[in-house]
């Protein structure tokens, strides 16, 4: 297969910024509107007690699952060496996480928000069934991945170009998740001109819940002061380590199962010094291929920036609209993704 040019790989990410102008203006409505696509009413956060009866990890099964995900890799990079045995209650690598991504106040940011809850669940359940059929040996953990802080086209009161979703919006996502028992929720942060350190406290009370996990998006981490959407942002290993330690401390303090920690990526500069990223039993890191385009281009992006720079686990995003823009005008299938090395254990549909 012909390797995609790096410039082309960059373009799949830059093209995703094309959504930015649309989604940020829609998300702006979140502060004053509650009746948007996919919204529900919710009166508060369900404070589910942590499970204190979690079974010990089967280390033999853990290692076997890692080998399975490596999928015959011969580079010596996979499975990642010396990674910690996770704490009891860990999702990865025992289950494959399959999520819908988006924001309740925009039909343009993803399937979560584009469709009313019942239709959204019907569509997501169909994807889950496809994955279960394609890989019956790996159970599916279903989830909703919600953009809880959206990079904005306007500065806002604090001049940080960020729209933080209010608690009512996040509570609505938790209510939608309850429609399918056992669903997990990811809260995703686009920090814009703010910092990840400053934004985590805004969602800390939700991260204290055992079914809530975290995603961060380097694309909209504008460390040089550029406006979000004008160029692609970045996180360093130091930032990722800060977040991992933050999650680790929270897991210990509240006796939680390990947190899944998703980092979006589709260019080299989005994540720097990957070799220095530290792993913890309390936080499971997923490096998530977040670019769109035709199958050949997406596979090249995955190979360059996910396979070649191993951290721990891997993810892969499928775009219902943008992946269809160029020939062969179709989404990659679970069967195709299962042939990747390593096999992604986190799948996101937008």
């Amino acid at each position: 297969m012909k390797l995609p040019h790096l410039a082309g790989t960059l373009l799949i990410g830059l093209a995703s910024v094309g959504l930015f102008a649309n989604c940020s203006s829609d998300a702006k409505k979140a502060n004053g509107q509650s009746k948007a696509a996919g919204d529900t009413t919710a009166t508060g956060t369900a404070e589910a007690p942590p499970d204190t009866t979690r079974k010990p990890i089967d280390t033999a099964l853990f290692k076997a699952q890692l080998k399975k995900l490596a999928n015959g890799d011969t580079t010596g990079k996979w499975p990642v060496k010396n990674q910690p045995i996770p704490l009891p209650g860990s999702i990865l690598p025992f289950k494959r996480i399959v999520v819908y991504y988006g924001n309740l106040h925009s039909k343009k940011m993803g399937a979560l928000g584009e469709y009313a809850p019942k239709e959204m669940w019907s569509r997501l359940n169909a994807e889950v069934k496809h994955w279960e059929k394609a890989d019956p040996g790996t159970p599916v953990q279903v989830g909703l991945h919600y953009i809880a802080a959206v990079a904005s086209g306007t500065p806002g009161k604090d001049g940080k170009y960020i729209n933080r979703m209010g608690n009512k919006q996040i509570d609505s996502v938790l209510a939608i998740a309850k429609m399918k028992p056992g669903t997990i929720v990811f809260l995703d942060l686009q920090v814009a001109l703010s910092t990840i350190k400053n934004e985590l406290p805004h969602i800390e009370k939700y991260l204290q819940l055992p079914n809530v996990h975290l995603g961060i998006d380097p694309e909209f981490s504008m460390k040089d002061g550029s406006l979000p959407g004008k160029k692609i942002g970045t996180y360093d290993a130091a930032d990722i380590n800060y977040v991992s330690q933050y999650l680790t401390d929270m897991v210990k303090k509240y006796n939680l199962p390990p947190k899944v920690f998703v980092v979006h990526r589709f260019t080299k500069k989005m994540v720097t010094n990957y070799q220095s990223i530290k792993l913890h039993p309390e936080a499971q890191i997923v490096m998530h291929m977040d670019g769109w385009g035709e199958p050949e281009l997406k596979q090249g992006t995955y190979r360059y920036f996910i396979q070649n720079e191993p951290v721990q686990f891997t993810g892969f995003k499928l775009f219902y609209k943008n992946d269809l823009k160029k020939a062969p005008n179709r989404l990659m299938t679970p069967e195709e993704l299962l042939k990747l090395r390593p096999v992604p254990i986190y799948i996101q549909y937008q």
Side-chain angles (χ1 to χ4, degrees):
M1 183 181 72
K2 182 180 177 181
L3 294 179
H5 296 295
L6 287 179
T9 305
L10 178 62
L11 284 175
I12 66 176
L14 284 172
S16 71
V17 179
L19 290 174
F20 167 81
N22 296 323
C23 67
S24 62
S25 58
D26 286 340
K28 182 85 171 179
K29 301 175 184 177
N31 293 328
Q33 297 183 12
S34 60
K35 297 297 182 182
D39 203 1
T40 66
T41 57
T43 57
T45 304
E47 297 291 341
D51 179 7
T52 58
T53 61
R54 296 183 286 268
K55 295 181 180 180
I57 293 297
D58 183 335
T59 55
L61 177 60
F62 172 73
K63 293 177 181 179
Q65 288 296 104
L66 292 182
K67 184 176 181 180
K68 177 183 176 181
L69 291 178
N71 200 22
D73 179 78
T74 58
T75 66
K77 296 180 178 181
W78 301 94
V80 172
K81 298 177 178 62
N82 301 320
Q83 62 175 298
I85 303 296
L87 294 182
S90 64
I91 297 173
L92 305 178
F94 308 104
K95 296 180 180 180
R96 172 170 287 108
I97 299 171
V98 177
V99 306
Y100 263 8
Y101 170 94
N103 183 284
L104 296 184
H105 300 278
S106 172
K107 294 185 177 183
K108 298 177 180 179
M109 293 178 73
L112 176 59
E114 181 174 0
Y115 305 106
K118 288 185 179 179
E119 183 178 357
M120 184 277 296
W121 273 120
S122 177
R123 291 172 178 268
L124 180 52
N125 287 338
E127 300 292 4
V128 168
K129 289 179 180 178
H130 195 167
W131 278 99
E132 290 174 337
K133 182 178 180 181
D135 186 10
T138 306
V140 171
Q141 169 63 65
V142 68
L144 304 178
H145 196 121
Y146 186 59
I147 314 169
V150 183
S152 174
T154 57
K157 291 182 180 180
D158 60 3
K160 299 298 184 182
Y161 288 81
I162 185 172
N163 283 325
R164 303 175 187 92
M165 300 298 103
N167 289 347
K168 289 184 178 180
Q169 286 78 34
I170 298 176
D171 289 342
S172 292
V173 177
L174 295 176
I176 295 171
K178 283 185 176 181
M179 295 173 68
K180 186 177 179 66
T183 299
I184 62 175
V185 172
F186 289 84
L187 298 181
D188 205 275
L189 300 178
Q190 301 176 358
V191 303
L193 270 64
S194 183
T195 65
I196 193 63
K197 183 176 181 179
N198 289 337
E199 295 307 314
L200 282 171
H202 289 285
I203 60 168
E204 181 169 335
K205 79 169 189 175
Y206 292 103
L207 292 173
Q208 293 174 18
L209 301 177
N211 66 322
V212 176
H213 302 267
L214 180 67
I216 65 172
D217 197 342
E219 180 179 1
F220 299 107
S221 170
M222 315 311 297
K223 291 189 172 187
D224 64 356
S226 299
L227 297 185
K230 301 298 183 181
K231 60 185 294 187
I232 295 172
T234 184
Y235 278 127
D236 186 69
D239 301 300
I240 295 171
N241 289 340
Y242 176 86
V243 177
S244 291
Q245 188 62 57
Y246 180 96
L247 294 175
T248 293
D249 294 343
M250 183 168 291
V251 166
K252 290 178 178 179
K253 181 177 180 179
Y254 297 104
N255 190 26
L256 300 171
K259 294 294 184 183
V260 180
F261 173 24
V262 174
V263 182
H264 301 261
R265 188 177 192 187
F266 52 82
T267 73
K268 188 174 184 65
K269 291 183 179 179
M270 283 177 73
V271 176
T272 54
N273 300 310
Y274 81 94
Q275 304 95 326
S276 298
I277 294 175
K278 299 177 182 178
L279 304 181
H280 302 270
E282 297 83 3
Q284 302 189 291
I285 300 178
V286 176
M287 300 304 294
H288 176 53
M289 201 296 284
D290 190 24
W292 63 263
E294 62 273 26
E296 183 179 23
L297 187 56
K298 291 176 74 82
Q299 290 177 69
T301 304
Y302 186 82
R303 183 165 53 251
Y304 283 126
F305 308 123
I306 306 297
Q307 178 184 5
N308 285 353
E309 298 196 357
V311 176
Q312 189 173 23
F313 299 104
T314 70
F316 203 99
K317 178 180 277 192
L318 297 164
F319 293 79
Y320 283 122
K321 295 179 175 63
N322 287 346
D323 283 354
L324 275 59
K325 288 185 175 181
K326 293 185 178 181
N329 310 107
R330 64 172 181 82
L331 262 63
M332 293 184 68
T333 66
E335 290 79 6
E336 289 175 307
L337 296 179
L338 289 169
K339 295 178 182 178
L340 295 176
R341 296 178 180 173
V343 178
I345 197 65
Y346 169 91
I347 305 296
Q348 185 181 96
Y349 288 90
Q350 178 171 339

